Amino acid sequence: MIALNPLARLMTPDGQTGPEAIRRTTHLGIGAHQDDLEFMAFHGILACYERADRWFGGVTITDGRGSSRAGRFKDWSDDQIAAERIREQEAAAVIGQYSFVAQLGFGSAAVRDAQQTAVREDLRRILEAARPEVVYLHNLADKHDTHVGCALRSLEAIRQLPKADRPKQVYGCEVWRDLDWLVDDEKTPMPVSERPELARALNEVFATQIAGGKRYDLAVLGRRTANATFSNAHASDQESAMQWAMDLTPLALDDSLDPVAYATGFIDRLKADVSARLRKSL
Ligand SMILES: [Zn+2]
């Protein structure tokens, strides 16, 4: 068994035992809320879909209790909404053929506080057991504090692994802030044109969120289309759907790199790019 905090809930769509389902994982997504994996890590879900040799594993860190609610969920209690969000996440895991989905059940405050070790401990245990090749995290320029907290706790957990066991690629993905602003040669592309019906089905699972008056299902697909079209002004579209990532691999491999300096470095280079283009035509 892999000992996680008592509120954690592990589910394996094909009935595999928990430890084996974690062990076979090659592509691991770690998101803050139910729905973040599907919105940001579809690239990994696609890479593993209907493959015997690759498995996508998903970790949702928070309990989703504080989510806004409207429509038919308007009068639901925190307990009811949390239970429904767990059910939605597990339904997505079935549709997407995940190896496992672990919902850790933490409150947002526990994620955002670097002094608390419980989140990092659960993540380290999962990472140790899975030793994934590829990891999908929130990007460090995301504007949601809980997303940023999740990304930092995940990087800290990765850094606790021996270097040989760390993932080969760590993507920082788009949710609450897209990454079209990265200068072109620093955008890490995640083409996601295949299986649009799967993308749609995964996004539509999250009725509690969509009923809150937020058309995430449409917005996520629209952003992917926009990214594909606006990726190159001079070539016709090679992909019909694209997600951008901030490459977080250097932070995962080099413990001396400071996440703040690393993230703001991308902004400095955007500033230089904008300045240089303006000056050329002044
Ligand atoms: Zn989220």
Side-chain angles (χ1 to χ4, degrees):
M1 277 307 295
I2 292 164
L4 301 174
N5 87 82
L7 295 176
R9 183 185 167 108
L10 184 72
M11 180 263 197
T12 59
D14 71 352
Q16 184 55 266
T17 63
E20 175 54 24
I22 295 176
R23 191 204 57 76
R24 68 185 173 183
T25 298
T26 54
H27 293 59
L28 181 70
I30 305 176
H33 307 104
Q34 291 91 353
D35 71 17
D36 282 325
L37 295 170
E38 290 68 28
F39 295 168
M40 74 182 196
F42 184 56
H43 182 255
I45 297 167
L46 260 185
C48 302
Y49 192 77
E50 290 188 344
R51 298 280 302 225
D53 58 336
R54 296 181 196 155
W55 288 92
F56 180 81
V59 179
T60 295
I61 297 181
T62 72
D63 58 14
R65 298 178 76 82
S67 71
S68 62
R69 57 208 74 169
R72 68 189 163 98
F73 304 103
K74 180 166 61 76
D75 300 321
W76 285 33
S77 67
D78 280 358
D79 283 345
Q80 284 176 304
I81 210 81
E84 182 63 8
R85 294 192 73 179
I86 287 170
R87 194 201 60 73
E88 289 175 343
Q89 184 60 73
E90 293 186 346
V94 171
I95 292 168
Q97 301 181 355
Y98 302 178
S99 184
F100 75 93
V101 66
Q103 302 193 65
L104 302 183
F106 287 105
S108 301
V111 177
R112 297 198 288 243
D113 181 357
Q115 305 308 315
Q116 296 191 35
T117 57
V119 174
R120 197 158 45 234
E121 282 294 295
D122 274 8
L123 294 175
R124 182 181 55 76
R125 290 197 178 100
I126 292 170
L127 283 157
E128 257 172 9
R131 289 194 288 154
E133 294 164 27
V134 184
V135 171
Y136 300 85
L137 305 178
H138 292 289
N139 83 77
L140 295 182
D142 194 289
K143 63 184 174 186
H144 192 310
D145 288 352
T146 307
H147 285 195
V148 171
C150 286
L152 290 173
R153 300 297 85 77
S154 302
L155 286 167
E156 290 158 6
I158 289 171
R159 284 179 168 183
Q160 291 183 342
L161 303 178
K163 290 231 163 114
D165 291 348
R166 298 185 191 179
K168 311 256 179 308
Q169 178 78 52
V170 181
Y171 293 106
C173 306
E174 300 172 296
V175 183
W176 285 107
R177 188 165 277 147
D178 67 42
L179 291 169
D180 183 64
W181 60 270
L182 291 171
V183 296
D184 279 354
D185 62 4
E186 294 197 326
K187 290 183 167 89
T188 302
M190 300 194 294
V192 286
S193 307
E194 285 174 45
R195 302 185 190 276
E197 69 294 339
L198 176 63
R200 208 173 307 119
L202 285 169
N203 293 350
E204 286 172 357
V205 162
F206 298 95
T208 55
Q209 304 311 294
I210 295 165
K214 304 288 276 181
R215 292 306 305 268
Y216 295 117
D217 52 335
L218 301 179
V220 167
L221 299 181
R223 175 186 281 167
R224 291 176 190 169
T225 306
N227 281 347
T229 294
F230 289 108
S231 65
N232 189 323
H234 307 295
S236 51
D237 298 354
Q238 303 294 312
E239 297 286 340
S240 57
M242 179 70 84
Q243 290 190 283
W244 300 127
M246 176 184 281
D247 185 12
L248 302 180
T249 316
L251 285 171
L253 298 180
D254 180 352
D255 298 358
S256 70
L257 279 185
D258 169 32
V260 177
Y262 185 81
T264 54
F266 290 98
I267 298 167
D268 294 340
R269 291 184 292 277
L270 171 68
K271 182 179 175 183
D273 180 80
V274 170
S275 305
R277 188 165 293 99
L278 282 168
R279 287 207 183 92
K280 268 197 303 196
S281 296
L282 271 177

